[in-house]
């Protein structure tokens, strides 16, 4: 299949690229330099021509400003990258009759404690600039190109891998702390799905058949962050050191971002729960843990 990929230098994009090429797909990457900043009319037409010339069946759009703190402090840049750019990709996808798969986030949810597994149309009150921009982009994509698919991703994890970018993540931070015998604190009232990024990449081909719309796309997790951390340490064989390495704390602001992924499941897209994903990661790195 002919596929255009943006954000291929990123945490998710680099793994999607590897996964798709391993499966024999013809993947063309669009350099982020072409996508960063204000997209003038000239730049729009250059990008449109570039994509038109490739005749992609699918465009996977992962390029974004993914750092929530950066987005909070640079709202205009975030708006360009996280709202204007996906809209441009949707217009170009529509012009070319290509399927568009675009990345959104669980940050679109309010996080107010309530429903344990939040469905796509519930609790949509983002509390930060990044979440607001992601939610607005989803709505715009549906208007501009109803066939576009927005995937709400959870926080993801992996270990550093040669030739791929690895963002700071839950598993890596805990692994580094355990190596240094440093204690980390985790909340008893913080609930969210954490997803092994390789599972995100492996499932991506199945998203090409999804009807247009918004989908929760990741691992479900009914454990709080403290218990999730304990589970990981157990799997690492460090169960006895749990009291030294992780401390449970009460949050001033309880949070629940855990998603109900039934909609994606109904289309055959299945993720292992977070605890199983962590086991999968450990088995993917023999000798490391
Ligand atoms: N990582 C997570 O846990 C997570 C969680 C939920 C949702 N998401 C979403 O998943 C998608 C992929 O995230 P990721 O973790 O792979 O992000 P990432 O590692 O930060 O990579 C971002 C990609 O976008 C490019 N980029 C950076 N700034 C840009 C800008 N202003 N305009 C256009 N492109 C820009 C980067 O290019 P350079 O390498 O050249 O800078 C890179 O290729 C994003 O939509 C993100 O919001 C990620």
């Amino acid at each position: 299949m002919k596929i255009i990929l943006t954000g291929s230098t990123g945490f998710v994009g680099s793994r999607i690229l590897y996964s798709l090429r391993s499966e024999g797909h013809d993947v063309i990457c669009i350099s982020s330099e072409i996508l960063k900043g204000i997209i003038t009319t000239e730049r729009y037409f250059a990008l449109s021509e570039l994509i038109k010339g490739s005749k992609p069946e699918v465009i996977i759009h992962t390029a974004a400003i993914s750092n929530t703190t950066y987005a909070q402090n640079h709202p205009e840049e975030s708006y360009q990258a996280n709202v204007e750019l996906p809209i441009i990709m949707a217009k170009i996808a529509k012009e070319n009759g290509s399927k568009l798969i675009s990345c959104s986030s669980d940050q679109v949810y309010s996080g107010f404690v309530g429903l344990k597994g939040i469905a796509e149309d519930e609790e949509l009150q983002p509390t930060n600039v990044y979440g607001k921009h992601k939610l607005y982009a989803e709505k715009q994509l549906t208007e501009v190109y109803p066939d576009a698919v927005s995937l709400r991703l959870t926080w993801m994890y992996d270990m550093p891998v040669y030739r791929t970018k690895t963002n700071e993540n839950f598993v890596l931070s805990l692994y580094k702390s355990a190596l240094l015998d440093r204690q980390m604190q985790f909340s008893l009232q913080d609930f969210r799905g954490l997803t092994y990024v390789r599972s995100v990449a492996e499932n991506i081909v199945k998203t090409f058949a999804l009807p247009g719309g918004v989908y929760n796309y990741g691992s479900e997790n009914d454990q709080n962050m403290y218990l999730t951390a304990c589970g990981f340490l157990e799997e690492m064989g460090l169960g006895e050191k749990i009291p030294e390495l992780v401390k449970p704390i009460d949050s001033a602001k309880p949070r629940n971002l855990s998603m109900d992924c039934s909609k994606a499941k109904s289309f055959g897209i299945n993720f292992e729960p977070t605890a199983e994903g962590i086991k999968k990661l450990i088995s993917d790195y023999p000798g490391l843990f």
Side-chain angles (χ1 to χ4, degrees):
M1 202 175 255
K2 193 103 178 240
I3 299 164
I4 291 261
L5 175 66
T6 71
S8 61
T9 52
F11 182 41
V12 179
S14 54
R15 285 156 178 87
I16 288 179
L17 176 63
Y18 175 81
S19 179
L20 290 175
R21 288 209 170 136
S22 314
E23 290 176 25
H25 296 286
D26 180 4
V27 188
I28 299 158
C29 301
I30 305 258
S31 160
S32 300
E33 296 316 312
I34 299 176
L35 306 172
K36 285 181 183 174
I38 298 166
I39 306 278
T40 56
T41 310
E42 289 81 12
R43 287 184 70 198
Y44 177 91
F45 283 119
L47 181 61
S48 172
E49 283 304 306
L50 181 70
I51 294 177
K52 198 168 151 191
S54 308
K55 298 191 177 64
E57 290 154 272
V58 179
I59 299 173
I60 305 173
H61 179 55
T62 75
I65 289 180
S66 67
N67 184 307
T68 54
T69 309
Y70 188 88
Q72 195 69 24
N73 296 330
H74 303 84
E76 283 181 17
E77 267 185 69
S78 170
Y79 190 83
Q80 269 166 19
N82 295 337
V83 177
E84 290 180 348
L85 186 57
I87 294 174
I88 285 168
M89 298 311 293
K91 287 182 179 160
I92 295 175
K94 188 177 176 188
E95 283 164 16
N96 287 285
S98 311
K99 186 77 184 173
L100 177 70
I101 309 296
S102 180
C103 294
S104 186
S105 163
D106 60 3
Q107 299 280 329
V108 299
Y109 296 117
S110 66
F112 303 143
V113 175
L115 298 163
K116 254 298 173 49
I118 314 168
E120 281 78 355
D121 55 353
E122 293 169 334
E123 306 224 15
L124 291 169
Q125 271 178 282
T127 54
N128 56 29
V129 164
Y130 172 82
K132 284 177 187 158
H133 287 170
K134 287 288 188 185
L135 181 59
Y136 188 59
E138 288 177 0
K139 289 181 178 160
Q140 292 298 306
L141 291 203
T142 305
E143 276 193 21
V144 169
Y145 187 24
D147 197 32
V149 166
S150 296
L151 302 176
R152 288 187 186 149
L153 305 173
T154 73
W155 195 19
M156 288 164 278
Y157 57 84
D158 197 357
M159 301 303 283
V161 187
Y162 178 59
R163 285 194 171 162
T164 60
K165 182 188 175 206
T166 299
N167 292 350
E168 205 48 49
N169 64 77
F170 178 87
V171 165
L172 184 57
S173 301
L174 200 45
Y175 177 80
K176 285 196 274 192
S177 292
L179 282 186
L180 298 169
D181 264 333
R182 208 175 46 197
Q183 192 180 59
M184 287 184 83
Q185 299 185 339
F186 290 98
S187 168
L188 294 167
Q189 292 89 19
D190 190 10
F191 291 87
R192 65 188 308 188
L194 299 171
T195 311
Y196 187 19
V197 67
R198 289 191 187 190
S199 300
V200 166
E202 285 162 12
N203 266 325
I204 203 78
V205 171
K206 292 186 192 156
T207 67
F208 302 170
L210 289 173
V214 176
Y215 297 84
N216 289 341
Y217 182 77
S219 291
E220 294 175 337
N221 186 17
D222 56 10
Q223 307 271 34
N224 59 42
M225 285 300 102
Y226 170 71
L227 289 176
T228 306
C230 292
F232 176 49
L233 292 174
E234 290 274 3
E235 290 301 329
M236 276 180 74
L238 293 175
E240 282 177 15
K241 293 189 81 180
I242 285 174
E244 287 165 49
L245 293 174
V246 285
K247 183 177 171 193
I249 52 162
D250 288 314
S251 301
K253 275 193 189 166
R255 181 172 69 160
N256 170 34
L257 291 173
S258 59
M259 301 193 298
D260 172 347
C261 299
S262 311
K263 186 176 171 189
K265 280 184 206 162
S266 72
F267 291 96
I269 298 176
N270 294 297
F271 284 89
E272 58 284 325
T274 296
E276 294 301 314
I278 286 173
K279 284 185 197 166
K280 183 173 162 186
L281 170 135
I282 288 175
S283 70
D284 279 347
Y285 292 90
L288 189 61
F289 293 95

